[in-house]
Every structure is written in structure tokens, then in C-alpha cells.
Amino acid sequence: MSQEQTYIMLKPDAVRRQLMGQIISRIEAKGYQITALKMMTLDQEIVGEHYAHLLDKPFYPELAAYMTSGPVVGMIVEGPEVVAGMRQMMGPTNALEAPAGTIRGDYAHSISENIIHGSDSLENAQIEINRFFK
Ligand code: DAT
Ligand code: MG
């Protein structure tokens, strides 16, 4: 099993709803290491880079408004196979369909406000870590 890094971000509703501690506890309990963490408020420009694959979608304006609506918490999380492992812990994009026991399944119920971001590949993890921790 290869040691990996991924980029995890607690979205504005996680911070607003005071769920940071619970979500971070799950990541720690799984045995992953949080090796960097910062709270920041995103601007339109960085959200446009991060969600470049969604810029032409009809829901993009709503997504950008949500992501800039309050502080987020960015983290570098490390562990064996952590990219896929975190995606599994998070559950599917649509929180309405996310099984109980997943972070999205337990704390969210919408596709647009789904509480947490996690990189979808090793390659994107490095790009996102560089983007948010440069
Ligand atoms: P994920 O966050 O699971 O990697 P993604 O990269 O496809 O999913 O989309 C990024 C975010 O955009 C997602 O977390 C929530 C929002 N989003 C995606 N599809 C959507 C849709 N059909 N309607 C509203 N928001 C959507
Ligand atoms: Mg994604």
C-alpha cells in the first residue's frame, strides 16, 4: 500500500454548523494524519480554478456563491491509499444518496451543499495541495 497525500476541504456549511470537530475526529479515528490545516475564505478566482471542470454547468453560479459564503478549512491528509479512502468515507457527491455512515450521508442531504471536498485522484491531489497551500 502506498503512502499518499490528499486535499480535503470542509465547506462553508461544515464550519457554520460547527461540524469541523466531528469530521476531523473521523479522519483522525480512521488513522490518517492531518499534516497541514488552515481556515480561509475563498474568492471567486480560486473557486473557478478548483471547479474549472464545472464552469459551464448551469449550477456553477450557485456553487461559487456557496463556496465563497464563509470560511472553509483546507487540510492535507496523509495515509495509505488515502485518496480513495477519503472518497469512500465522504460518500457520493449527492448527499441525498450517500449511505448512512459516510460523512455526506450523516451530515448533509443535498448535492449542492455536500459539506466536504476530497481530491478524486493522486494527480489532482497534488494540484489541489499546491493550489491551496502554496
Ligand atoms: P465531488 O465533490 O464529489 O468530487 P464534483 O467534482 O463532480 O463532485 O462536483 C464538485 C461539486 O459541485 C460538488 O461537490 C457539488 C457541486 N455539484 C456537482 N454536481 C452538481 C449538480 N448536479 N447540482 C448542483 N451542484 C453540483
Ligand atoms: Mg470533484
Side-chain angles (χ1 to χ4, degrees):
M1 283 201 288
S2 61
Q3 189 72 10
E4 296 177 352
Q5 290 187 323
T6 192
Y7 178 69
I8 297 298
M9 185 159 62
L10 308 183
K11 296 183 178 181
D13 54 329
V15 177
R16 257 193 302 274
R17 293 171 55 204
Q18 304 199 109
L19 295 170
M20 288 187 292
Q22 288 187 55
I23 298 170
I24 288 169
S25 288
R26 287 182 180 221
I27 296 169
E28 291 184 321
K30 177 77 176 174
Y32 297 143
Q33 299 289 321
I34 297 168
T35 57
L37 182 150
K38 77 172 162 186
M39 186 176 276
M40 57 195 148
T41 302
L42 305 183
D43 60 24
Q44 294 286 339
E45 189 185 343
I46 201 163
V47 171
E49 282 176 30
H50 182 63
Y51 287 135
H53 61 297
L54 301 172
L55 276 171
D56 59 351
K57 300 286 187 198
F59 59 80
Y60 183 78
E62 183 194 356
L63 174 62
Y66 165 53
M67 292 302 296
T68 57
S69 67
V72 299
V73 174
M75 292 179 262
I76 301 173
V77 179
E78 299 188 9
E81 316 280 353
V82 71
V83 173
M86 276 304 310
R87 295 284 296 193
Q88 196 167 30
M89 281 179 71
M90 286 161 49
T93 306
N94 187 354
L96 206 53
E97 292 169 359
T102 65
I103 294 168
R104 285 168 169 169
D106 287 350
Y107 299 123
H109 51 72
S110 113
I111 189 169
S112 51
E113 302 202 2
N114 61 10
I115 214 150
I116 187 168
H117 165 81
S119 308
D120 61 8
S121 69
L122 205 47
E123 187 191 2
N124 282 335
Q126 282 314 307
I127 292 169
E128 291 173 0
I129 286 168
N130 290 336
R131 173 175 301 132
F132 291 101
F133 283 95
K134 64 192 161 204

